[in-house]
Amino acid sequence: MTSPRLQWWTAAALTLVGVCVLGVTSVHFALPGSTVALWWPAAGLAVAFLLATDPGPRRSTAFVVGVLVSSAAANAFGGRPGLVSVLYGVANAAEVAVVHGLMTARGRRPRLASMDDLWRLIAATLTGAAVIGLLAGLTAHLVLDGSFLDSASAAASSHGAAVLVIAPLGIAVGIRRVRRPALEDLVQWVAVVGVTLWVFHEDQPLPLAFLPIPGLVWGALRLGLRTVAMQLLVVCIVSVTMTGLGGGPFAAAREVGTIRPETVGALTQAFLATAAVTALALAVASTQRRAALAELRSEVELSGVVLDTAASAIIVVDVSGTIARLNATAARLLGAPEDQLVGRRAADVFPVDVRHAASPGGGSIADGTVPLHEEQDWHVAGLGVRHLVWTNAYLTDDDGRRTHLVRTGADVTDERAARTFVEAVLEAATATAIIGTGLDGVITLFNRGAETVLGWRAAEVVGTHDWSLVHDAAEIERRADELGLEPGFEVLVHRVRGGAATETRDWTFVRQDGARRTVSLTMSGIRDESGALTGYLGVAEDVTRRRQAEVALQVALDRERQAVEELTALDRTKSDFVSSVSHELRTPLASVLGYAEMLEDGAAGPLTERQLELVARVDRNGRRLLSLIEDLLLHSRIEAGRLELQPRRCDLSDVVASAWTSVETVTSQRELVREVDVSPRPLWIEGDPAALERMVTNLLSNAVKFTPDGGRVTLVAHPDDRCPDAVRVVVSDTGMGIPRADHERVFARFFRSNAANERAIQGSGLGLSIVRAIAEGHGGSVSVDSTPDVGSTFTVSLPVSGSAGPAPASASGTYRDHQDDS
Ligand code: ADP
């Protein structure tokens, strides 16, 4: 496979050989008596080659030099003297260089697509012809002693005609054939060639030189530039050859002596030039027309597609108000097919009360008074009322008269509805300030709530104020310091600009009247569909009252805490005081009881009945007082978290019996039925016997205390039949009972029922709280079941020895020690 470079050099060499051969032929066929050839197709061939291949400057130059050599050789072979041959060679080369140079000036590719291109070809050909004419004329005059003018004009015309006829072929080889050859091509070819042969036939007596031209025109109009270029060449070759052989009208005229030999040549060139210019001009014009038509067709197609795929309604109305064209969207809105709408008056089909397009009220197209922007509500079947925004444009004719109105309507119903909804939401938020800004901080949105909170009207701040102006400047400065920024709007949106979805914090707004409001402001970014930040939206709630209330609440809580601390300290002091007073009372009281016992025993001599009775009363009250003191001391310990039980394995039956005896001693005077039911078997538990006895004693003394004479007090101690790991001590009575509402409260310290207070039943309100503390201290529990005026039952449940349960509180046996003190 040969490279394109090599191909070009080969083609160039062959062309140069052709130039030489054609040159020899032309010299040979030169009319007798003429110093130059009748026709010089070699020049046309050389130019056509350069135009067809359009090589770079280096190759073009080489080719031109080749033309010089081959033309000189042709002249020499044709029998011309050496110097003349060389000079003719130079003249030929100069002509080729000039024509090619003009056709490709300013980097232009050689082409024949417009009349301008044709003019350029003609101008280049004429210039080239002038160059060859000048040089050939000078050569003929100076070297051959011929006439300058005759030689110059003959050379110019023979070369010019050749270039004009053959050069287009060089350009046309690059043009693609657009239509398939048809019968018409054959007929036209036969006609052109046949007519030319007939006209230039040897025996043709009539001056019919013009006759091939209609055939060429036919080809130019119907078959394109390529065919015309080829046919021009054929017509040239036929006419020149046959004229050279003495045929045709021009040779005939010479034969009869009407014209000189040079004139025959000039007439032949004139005929060829006329045929070429006519045919080429028509071919170029018709090619241009076809291209323009194709372009127009594709533009019409494109605009049709654009119209039909447009989401907007497009309606073209002519000056009389008649619809000239409309697209599918418009037809859909008008509720009829396009072909039924075109030709109807717009005023009759627009489903709107105020009709435009040459209609009264809407302005007239001819006067240009239809507004360029308008909004209309259309009642569209099946879609209801649609809100359309129209943009109108006038079309004018060459005289500037308005001929049509192009109406482009966008259906903005849904967008308007959404906007109205958002506006309604913004306006409904009367207590919440919603403020929008652009990226620069200039306010773009200021809702009713913002007006309420800040006292400014939207119209006063939108588009003019920077948001940071409604803030407390000192606060902005402080925050700017924290963030390391300059004070200003950036401080408010720094986090959001940095990528945070929202930022919520308290700020101080300064109202128009100068008042300050604390607001909780949530700032977020507004982003477009591509996610780019386009502005900011802040939602602020006035929290001034809430923050004030929170501060007040905090102050109150601090005060409360302080008061509690003070009261706790006071309570501790009081407990300590009660504890120490109780201690101090117990010792002398024990002494009083001891002396009373001695008196009863007769240590001071026998006592009378009356004296014994009084001593017994001293002993009873002293014991009650001692019991109270014991309760107070125990309570102090419980309060201080120092109950300090000393558990050991003991029989609960013994504990219960001991408690029963001590209570019976104190209440022997009371007329009560007493019943004891204690398990005959030992009830082993892990416990502190002294504390447990105190517990049972408290329950029994309550039962006795709150049961009037004649009632019954019962003490039961048994294994718990509902729970095998527990024992139960149940103290019940038929006394005054406890209202249900007080059942839980009776175990609270210092609680005394109203009934107990009203009936002046003595007591401290500590007994049951001590019972619960001791029961729970042993891992057990106490409960009450009571009905007013029927009686009460207190049940203590304690875990048996070895069963699981909370470890009894244990310590240094303090409780026992204190018991021993008494
Ligand atoms: P005190 O007996 O010293 O008042 P307690 O703590 O022992 O204090 O009892 C608290 C209150 O519970 C009593 O004031 C009384 O109202 C009520 N209460 C306790 N035991 C009985 C009972 N057996 N019958 C009726 N009420 C009782």
Side-chain angles (χ1 to χ4, degrees):
M1 195 156 202
T2 48
S3 73
R5 258 173 80 91
L6 190 63
Q7 279 178 5
W8 185 86
W9 284 108
T10 311
L14 289 174
T15 307
L16 290 173
V17 171
V19 165
C20 185
V21 171
L22 283 174
V24 173
T25 314
S26 299
V27 172
H28 178 74
F29 279 101
L31 290 172
S34 173
T35 51
V36 291
L38 175 65
W39 193 52
W40 195 259
L45 176 65
V47 170
F49 177 78
L50 279 183
L51 293 182
T53 58
D54 194 24
R58 212 164 57 82
R59 288 197 224 171
S60 302
T61 312
F63 185 78
V64 167
V65 173
V67 170
L68 188 156
V69 175
S70 62
S71 301
N75 278 285
F77 288 138
R80 284 187 167 143
L83 180 61
V84 173
S85 299
V86 171
L87 291 175
Y88 277 161
V90 171
N92 271 286
E95 180 199 15
V96 171
V98 165
V99 175
H100 179 244
L102 288 175
M103 285 300 285
T104 56
R106 293 199 211 128
R108 189 193 310 272
R109 285 187 64 78
R111 49 176 218 159
L112 265 180
S114 67
M115 293 311 277
D116 283 350
D117 297 337
L118 182 61
W119 285 124
R120 187 170 298 107
L121 176 67
I122 292 170
T125 305
L126 290 176
T127 312
V131 168
I132 189 83
L134 179 69
L135 294 178
L138 283 174
T139 303
H141 178 63
L142 298 177
V143 184
L144 297 176
D145 269 347
S147 156
F148 171 82
L149 213 56
D150 286 353
S151 299
S153 62
S157 61
S158 69
H159 279 250
V163 171
L164 197 59
V165 168
I166 302 174
L169 201 59
I171 298 172
V173 289
I175 299 173
R176 268 190 309 127
R177 183 191 289 278
V178 284
R179 48 187 288 284
R180 292 222 193 123
L183 183 63
E184 183 183 356
D185 297 55
L186 183 65
V187 174
Q188 192 264 350
W189 267 102
V190 169
V192 169
V193 177
V195 166
T196 310
L197 285 170
W198 181 62
V199 167
F200 287 93
H201 190 260
E202 214 174 323
D203 299 332
Q204 179 57 260
L206 298 169
L208 294 175
F210 61 88
L211 217 50
I213 291 180
L216 289 171
V217 169
W218 174 9
L221 291 177
R222 303 270 310 158
L223 307 181
L225 187 67
R226 227 172 121 101
T227 307
V228 167
M230 286 191 286
Q231 290 180 354
L232 270 176
L233 184 60
V234 171
V235 168
C236 265
I237 291 168
V238 171
S239 59
V240 167
T241 312
M242 293 180 78
T243 302
L245 293 172
F250 309 128
R254 183 176 59 98
E255 288 294 320
V256 293
T258 318
I259 53 173
R260 292 187 301 127
E262 279 79 0
T263 313
V264 173
L267 281 176
T268 311
Q269 316 312 335
F271 161 72
L272 289 176
T274 308
V277 170
T278 309
L280 287 175
L282 280 173
V284 168
S286 109
T287 307
Q288 224 176 347
R289 200 182 112 262
R290 268 199 296 275
L293 275 177
E295 198 175 325
L296 190 65
R297 240 192 323 273
S298 77
E299 256 180 32
V300 167
E301 254 171 46
L302 177 70
S303 65
V305 170
V306 170
L307 270 184
D308 285 340
T309 53
S312 299
I314 300 173
I315 304 172
V316 182
V317 181
D318 71 14
V319 76
S320 70
T322 305
I323 296 176
R325 184 136 190 223
L326 76 168
N327 70 347
T329 307
R332 201 162 50 246
L333 287 172
L334 289 168
E338 288 169 51
D339 51 357
Q340 286 182 21
L341 291 163
V342 170
R344 294 185 62 187
R345 282 181 55 76
D348 297 339
V349 295
F350 280 17
V352 62
D353 294 338
V354 181
R355 294 169 191 185
H356 296 274
S359 68
S364 112
I365 294 174
D367 300 343
T369 50
V370 179
L372 295 181
H373 297 281
E374 44 184 349
E375 297 195 14
Q376 294 174 343
D377 282 337
W378 275 23
H379 303 273
V380 178
L383 292 175
V385 176
R386 308 302 296 177
H387 192 79
L388 296 166
V389 174
W390 293 99
T391 307
N392 301 331
Y394 290 101
L395 297 183
T396 52
D397 61 15
D398 291 345
D399 298 330
R401 278 192 299 266
R402 294 175 195 84
T403 57
H404 292 86
L405 182 72
V406 181
R407 303 169 56 85
T408 307
D411 183 346
V412 297
T413 315
D414 298 337
E415 289 80 354
R416 284 286 162 87
R419 198 170 80 188
T420 310
F421 176 74
V422 171
E423 281 171 359
V425 169
L426 290 178
E427 285 306 295
T430 51
T432 304
I434 301 174
I435 304 173
T437 73
L439 290 174
D440 55 359
V442 173
I443 295 173
T444 54
L445 169 78
F446 202 78
N447 80 330
R448 176 85 53 87
E451 292 183 339
T452 311
V453 172
L454 284 159
W456 294 90
R457 316 289 319 155
E460 294 170 320
V461 293
V462 169
T464 55
H465 279 56
D466 184 287
W467 184 344
S468 57
L469 291 184
V470 301
H471 277 257
D472 178 49
E475 191 178 57
I476 292 272
E477 264 175 42
R478 276 199 302 279
R479 181 70 180 144
D481 266 358
E482 283 169 27
L483 295 172
L485 299 170
E486 284 295 307
F489 178 66
E490 178 63 22
V491 173
L492 298 172
V493 296
H494 180 67
R495 286 270 153 78
V496 174
R497 204 196 285 271
T502 59
E503 185 194 11
T504 303
R505 59 184 300 122
D506 280 8
W507 291 98
T508 305
F509 274 1
V510 181
R511 284 174 53 86
Q512 191 187 24
D513 57 15
R516 273 146 207 281
R517 309 300 298 174
T518 305
V519 295
S520 170
L521 172 65
T522 299
M523 187 66 84
S524 53
I526 305 170
R527 294 177 188 279
D528 64 13
E529 281 167 6
S530 68
L533 203 58
T534 58
Y536 301 95
L537 188 72
V539 179
E541 197 186 345
D542 189 340
V543 292
T544 311
R545 290 241 174 89
R546 199 191 305 162
R547 296 289 182 263
Q548 284 169 348
E550 281 168 8
V551 170
L553 184 65
Q554 191 58 44
V555 169
L557 279 175
D558 288 346
R559 277 207 203 114
E560 186 84 355
R561 193 174 305 123
Q562 202 178 342
V564 167
E565 279 167 9
E566 283 169 6
L567 282 175
T568 308
L570 193 65
D571 191 48
R572 205 174 303 123
T573 313
K574 192 191 72 190
S575 296
D576 291 347
F577 174 74
V578 169
S579 175
S580 58
V581 167
S582 304
H583 261 296
E584 295 305 317
L585 286 175
R586 197 162 59 171
T587 313
L589 187 58
S591 166
V592 168
L593 288 172
Y595 283 117
E597 208 172 320
M598 283 169 67
L599 284 174
E600 273 185 324
D601 293 349
L607 299 181
T608 64
E609 196 73 10
R610 179 71 183 144
Q611 284 169 331
L612 274 175
E613 191 187 318
L614 292 176
V615 170
R617 203 171 282 180
V618 168
D619 183 65
R620 253 198 329 274
N621 284 324
R623 284 184 191 284
R624 194 185 298 149
L625 189 55
L626 187 63
S627 173
L628 178 62
I629 289 170
E630 292 295 342
D631 276 356
L632 280 172
L633 281 171
L634 204 49
H635 169 71
S636 295
R637 290 203 172 79
I638 292 168
E639 285 290 288
R642 292 188 287 114
L643 179 55
E644 293 168 352
L645 299 169
Q646 195 178 44
R648 61 183 167 81
R649 188 173 151 82
C650 61
D651 182 359
L652 188 64
S653 313
D654 291 346
V655 174
V656 167
S658 173
W660 179 258
T661 309
S662 69
V663 172
E664 209 171 31
T665 314
V666 181
T667 61
S668 52
Q669 273 75 32
R670 295 289 315 277
E671 289 183 10
L672 293 169
V673 179
R674 297 176 174 82
E675 289 177 356
V676 192
D677 175 10
V678 178
S679 164
R681 283 186 294 156
L683 300 171
W684 295 113
I685 66 164
E686 193 75 25
D688 183 329
L692 292 170
E693 185 178 332
R694 178 90 233 145
M695 177 184 80
V696 180
T697 304
N698 279 3
L699 289 174
L700 283 172
S701 35
N702 275 355
V704 168
K705 212 161 52 171
F706 294 108
T707 306
D709 284 349
R712 183 191 306 120
V713 173
T714 310
L715 171 64
V716 176
H718 271 288
D720 192 336
D721 44 9
R722 285 171 301 185
C723 175
D725 291 334
V727 291
R728 286 197 309 151
V729 177
V730 181
V731 177
S732 49
D733 61 62
T734 56
M736 56 193 277
I738 306 167
R740 170 151 285 281
D742 289 343
H743 281 190
E744 192 48 38
R745 297 164 70 202
V746 293
F747 295 103
R749 61 180 188 151
F750 302 121
F751 175 80
R752 306 205 71 233
S753 71
N754 287 340
N757 283 329
E758 280 163 14
R759 296 181 201 184
I761 298 170
Q762 291 169 335
S764 61
L766 289 173
L768 287 180
S769 69
I770 289 171
V771 167
R772 172 176 274 182
I774 292 174
E776 290 177 353
H778 283 83
S781 62
V782 60
S783 62
V784 63
D785 183 16
S786 179
T787 308
D789 298 328
V790 175
S792 308
T793 299
F794 286 86
T795 303
V796 176
S797 179
L798 296 169
V800 296
S801 176
S803 71
S810 69
S812 53
T814 325
Y815 183 73
R816 172 65 63 192
D817 292 344
H818 287 293
Q819 279 299 101
D820 291 348
D821 284 352
S822 62

